[in-house]
Amino acid sequence: MTTTTATRAALLVLADGRFPAGGHAHSGGAEAAIAAGRVSDPASLEAFCRGRLGTAGLVAAALAAAAAAGANPLLLDEAADARTPSPALRMTARKLGRQMMRAARACWPSPALDALAAARPRGAHQPVVLGLAAAAAGLGPLDAAHAAAYEAVSGPATAAVRLLSLDPFDATAVLARLAPELDRVAELAVAAAESALDDLDALPAASAPLLEIAAEAHAAWPVRLFAS
Amino acid sequence: MTAVAPAPAASCGVRAAARIVAAPDGRGGTALPVLHGEGPLVPRRTRAARADTAQVTVVGAMSAPLGGDHLRLDARVLPGARLAVGSAAATVSLPGRDGARARYDVRLAVDEGAELRWLPEPLIAAAGSDLAMTTRVELAEGARLVLREELVLGRAGERPGRLVSRLTVRRGGRALLDQEVALGPGVPGWSGPAVLDRYRAMGQLLIADPWFEEHAPGVVALASDPAEGEAVLTPLAGPAVLVTALGRDALTVRRLLNAGQRAAAPPAG
Amino acid sequence: MHLDHPETYPQRYAAAPSRQRRAPTPSSAPTTRPDGTRRALRIGLGGPVGSGKTATVAAICRQLREELSIAVVTNDIYTREDAEFLLRNAVLPAERISAVETGACPHTAIRDDISANLEAVEDLEESVGPLDLVLVESGGDNLTATFSKGLVDAQIFVIDVAGGDKIPRKGGPGVSTADLLVVNKTDLAPLVGADLEVMARDARAQRGELPVTFTALTEPDGIAPVVAWVRERLACWTAAA
């Protein structure tokens, strides 16, 4: 499970914030946290991102790594459901999974992506699709984990720039400071994904109660800027 | 699995296991053919609210778990039986002498047509403590479960201890719910705005019942004051609902969980 | 331009000289549904806030809903605002209107990352049956907002006289490259001191042969020229099948 340098550039394509897979319309819970007054500056944004990285980010990274390593994507999809008590977040994950599927099939056509698209026409959980996309692009489980973990923090940071008019240098500096922790989460995720090839329960299930509670409240807002 | 550094291996702690098996008694009630405990875990049959249900209260005979302890509690409800389990008092996780992590593993199985109400008192992580708790539940497709877990960070006015609790529920062999909360010192971001923020108590109440197959409930935001606590009731992907509650203290969390239970409970069968 | 390159421009290249502007180029999106039948014609409507995009969509729907199977996708800045206007005014049944959430950036959702819009269009086709026409409305945005060729087959840019008669002269990708430029609220021209002649001349300078139409939706059948253009596009779309 190592990154081959020959395909490293594909990781840049996959993890690019401009990769057209719908992420731009989602704040990863940041909009709700900002409205509640819990995120208001770079420090609180960093604390939010750190918490999300160690919970939802770790789970997404492990799902993506396991999918890239060849675990059964339908069982991973079921494992993702069990790890997502909030129906709003399950819906978001499937919606983004469907959008990721469209972009991934256009970029790296593969039978594995086709098979999952046929089995889950309304969308599989996004990290599972991301993992298959990584494999189709010639990337390994660690790359997939990095892409998923990075997405877990880059989405909220971008949203905070739009919602709080936060200085974009401050927001990006938050991401830079989190980079070592992100590397560690990706490594943990890959270790878990390796064990999960034998026993899916080895996948992490780290949860963030406030993200779950706030996601449901946010989904019921009549007016909001981000879809989640 | 969490982003928490592994603790030193348990060294000199207590090892204790308790076991409960509930079975129909043939007269419309529930018998307890196995009711075994040792050390700090003593299950006792107590007076039940319903004639068809066996009530068990786990009495903590000594302060537990301490760092380094390894406790295990197994309960099985055989087809058609009804078991309710509670505890006499809150469980307090305390630091051991050598800083080792304590383990507490609960294994529950509920067979076809059986019911388990697992409603222990809160688990309190005292300052300096470190506890890894796992609860694994195997449900038959026709089984019913009400399970409550309440976690409190620190006794009154005390710094929080560390607590990692994983709840894994399978129904008919398939994953229904898998949630791990990791809270306290050393857990990245646990007191931040994504996880617990300023709250110091959290609770989960899971109700799994085949009745939900036909009566899928919607999301219920449980009326709450963010200064005190907040909670939501969510339908899971399978026939079950989960109430997730956060509060400044255990009392608030219990109040929110009770409100969630009232909002969701299927008719008593 | 480098000497080695032939002097051609990509579709809709906004900075191309106006003499090179020509009739609409078809969308790059597949023209058939998964079952092989020809999919609905997709027309995008963009333009600044308050220029009358939603009113134009509503008027087109009212004119054509009896003879065509129509659906609308809105891209709001705030969730569902335009979709709800269309619902309140009973322009189409609710199941024919879908709102895409854009994360405060409608232009991203209609141009840079069209995945959510494509899904909305496909879901509408799936849920209400074969459609003839899908109108994709962008939330009010700036003059640079254009639709991706991967999303729509043709696009209408709606500006209004109250926004100032300088808008056509300022140009921008919306004004200069849209397949149809609609200058709306001409009834207000005398009140705001807008010179329609100047607007028409500037638009011609920006757009070459691409059509411009002046509308006043407050007048009876004020939408007629836009509807006529839509019918023409539909005829071409069907003929190409």
Side-chain angles (χ1 to χ4, degrees):
Chain A
M1 291 201 182
T2 50
T3 307
T4 51
T5 47
T7 55
R8 183 165 293 158
L11 178 57
L12 299 179
V13 177
L14 183 62
D16 190 330
R18 287 165 298 183
F19 192 71
H24 72 96
H26 296 262
S27 80
E31 183 169 31
I34 286 167
R38 293 191 163 112
V39 170
S40 57
D41 55 16
S44 47
L45 173 65
E46 184 168 336
F48 178 89
C49 288
R50 180 169 286 116
R52 189 164 196 257
L53 176 63
T55 54
L58 173 65
V59 173
L63 287 167
N72 180 335
L74 294 180
L75 292 179
L76 291 176
D77 197 48
E78 198 174 290
D81 259 351
R83 284 157 177 76
T84 320
S86 151
L89 290 181
R90 289 198 297 275
M91 201 191 76
T92 296
R94 292 192 180 283
K95 212 168 156 172
L96 285 171
R98 192 175 163 199
Q99 289 172 258
M100 169 64 71
M101 178 63 82
R102 183 186 294 275
R105 287 169 92 186
C107 296
W108 303 287
S110 95
L113 287 169
D114 293 346
L116 181 58
R120 292 281 180 277
R122 309 297 302 174
H125 278 257
Q126 193 263 11
V128 181
V129 185
L130 177 65
L132 289 187
L139 296 164
L142 185 59
D143 300 308
H146 267 108
Y150 179 62
E151 208 172 65
V153 293
S154 62
T158 310
V161 169
R162 292 194 204 161
L163 292 167
L164 287 169
S165 300
L166 209 63
D167 183 333
F169 297 113
D170 288 341
T172 306
V174 165
L175 296 179
R177 277 197 296 279
L178 287 170
E181 287 168 64
L182 202 148
D183 285 338
R184 211 165 67 80
V185 163
E187 280 156 21
L188 280 170
V190 169
E194 276 173 12
S195 313
L197 292 176
D198 300 321
D199 173 17
L200 274 188
D201 286 349
L203 289 170
S207 76
L210 261 179
L211 287 181
E212 301 278 336
I213 294 172
E216 288 302 332
H218 182 265
W221 291 3
V223 171
R224 56 179 186 255
L225 285 171
F226 287 85
S228 76
Chain B
M1 161 117 194
T2 54
V4 179
S11 49
C12 54
V14 172
R15 269 163 179 59
R19 191 163 157 73
I20 307 164
V21 176
D25 65 3
R27 303 185 305 274
T30 295
L32 298 172
V34 178
L35 188 63
H36 165 79
E38 61 185 18
L41 290 177
V42 183
R44 290 206 180 119
R45 183 159 192 165
T46 46
R47 194 183 157 79
R50 293 171 53 128
D52 57 359
T53 302
Q55 173 79 45
V56 169
T57 302
V58 179
V59 181
M62 46 199 259
S63 268
L66 289 167
D69 288 358
H70 186 178
L71 310 184
R72 183 174 165 124
L73 182 48
D74 280 70
R76 175 165 208 119
V77 192
L78 295 171
R82 304 174 72 117
L83 173 67
V85 179
S87 62
T91 301
V92 183
S93 167
L94 294 164
R97 269 168 307 188
D98 55 2
R101 177 174 291 177
R103 285 178 57 186
Y104 192 170
D105 297 315
V106 175
R107 299 291 176 267
L108 308 174
V110 192
D111 293 346
E112 278 302 327
E115 179 185 284
L116 173 63
R117 301 173 67 80
W118 186 264
L119 302 167
E121 294 305 303
L123 176 57
I124 303 171
S129 68
D130 185 2
L131 172 66
M133 171 139 185
T134 64
T135 306
R136 297 179 68 100
V137 189
E138 293 286 345
L139 297 176
E141 291 199 0
R144 293 188 306 279
L145 172 74
V146 179
L147 182 148
R148 182 177 70 208
E149 179 186 66
E150 292 162 322
L151 308 174
V152 183
L153 280 287
R155 289 171 293 197
E158 184 186 56
R159 283 178 300 107
R162 185 158 75 176
L163 189 52
V164 179
S165 176
R166 180 149 181 181
L167 170 61
T168 306
V169 183
R170 303 181 75 83
R171 176 176 176 271
R174 298 173 62 175
L176 176 68
L177 177 69
D178 205 337
Q179 288 278 279
E180 180 179 272
V181 282
L183 306 169
V187 181
W190 76 275
S191 59
V195 185
L196 223 56
D197 202 31
R198 64 191 182 284
Y199 299 125
R200 287 300 172 264
M202 80 153 285
Q204 302 188 92
L205 181 89
L206 172 71
I207 307 175
D209 194 313
W211 184 79
F212 288 124
E213 304 247 36
E214 305 285 314
H215 307 84
V219 170
V220 183
L222 298 160
S224 51
D225 168 8
E228 297 281 317
E230 50 196 288
V232 69
L233 180 152
T234 50
L236 301 182
V241 299
L242 181 73
V243 186
T244 307
L246 299 175
R248 48 186 284 184
D249 53 33
L251 223 58
T252 310
V253 164
R254 176 66 62 86
R255 185 173 53 73
L256 289 167
L257 292 181
N258 287 345
Q261 189 170 10
R262 282 194 299 276
Chain C
M1 178 137 297
H2 197 278
L3 287 176
D4 291 346
H5 287 266
E7 183 142 344
T8 56
Y9 291 91
Q11 301 167 0
R12 273 186 216 293
Y13 176 50
S18 63
R19 65 186 153 78
Q20 297 204 356
R21 304 214 186 283
R22 51 183 78 86
T25 46
S27 162
S28 63
T31 55
T32 52
R33 303 185 178 101
D35 66 4
T37 56
R38 193 158 174 84
R39 63 161 172 79
L41 175 71
R42 300 176 195 157
I43 294 181
L45 288 101
V49 177
S51 63
K53 290 179 298 300
T54 308
T56 303
V57 167
I60 295 173
C61 290
R62 284 193 196 101
Q63 288 273 314
L64 294 174
R65 66 189 172 196
E66 301 301 327
E67 54 188 286
L68 297 173
S69 178
I70 307 178
V72 173
V73 178
T74 62
N75 286 261
D76 283 329
I77 297 178
Y78 288 100
T79 311
R80 299 197 60 83
E81 203 168 302
D82 288 343
E84 261 148 33
F85 173 90
L86 295 171
L87 285 172
R88 268 200 312 280
N89 290 275
V91 170
L92 288 176
E95 67 271 17
R96 288 177 177 270
I97 303 171
S98 174
V100 165
E101 290 165 296
T102 65
C105 284
H107 60 266
T108 305
I110 62 164
R111 185 186 57 206
D112 308 310
D113 181 352
I114 57 176
S115 52
N117 269 292
L118 287 173
E119 245 119 68
V121 172
E122 288 170 11
D123 286 351
L124 283 167
E125 287 242 22
E126 201 182 300
S127 59
V128 299
L131 298 166
D132 301 310
L133 176 64
V134 179
L135 300 174
V136 184
E137 183 192 342
S138 169
D141 212 310
N142 57 40
L143 293 173
T144 65
T146 51
F147 284 83
S148 164
K149 272 295 183 187
L151 177 60
V152 300
D153 303 295
Q155 57 186 301
I156 300 174
F157 200 73
V158 184
I159 60 172
D160 70 299
V161 301
D165 59 11
K166 291 187 194 65
I167 289 184
R169 191 168 77 231
K170 286 183 180 164
V175 165
S176 54
T177 71
D179 300 300
L180 175 68
L181 178 68
V182 174
V183 183
N184 190 22
K185 305 187 191 173
T186 52
D187 49 320
L188 298 181
L191 302 173
V192 297
D195 188 333
L196 297 181
E197 295 280 323
V198 169
M199 292 182 89
R201 193 186 60 220
D202 290 346
R204 233 180 354 262
Q206 290 284 347
R207 295 172 51 79
E209 291 169 18
L210 291 173
V212 181
T213 183
F214 289 80
T215 55
L217 296 183
T218 48
E219 280 161 27
D221 213 20
I223 194 66
V226 181
V227 168
W229 180 85
V230 171
R231 281 187 202 281
E232 206 179 297
R233 296 263 60 77
L234 267 166
C236 295
W237 178 253
T238 319

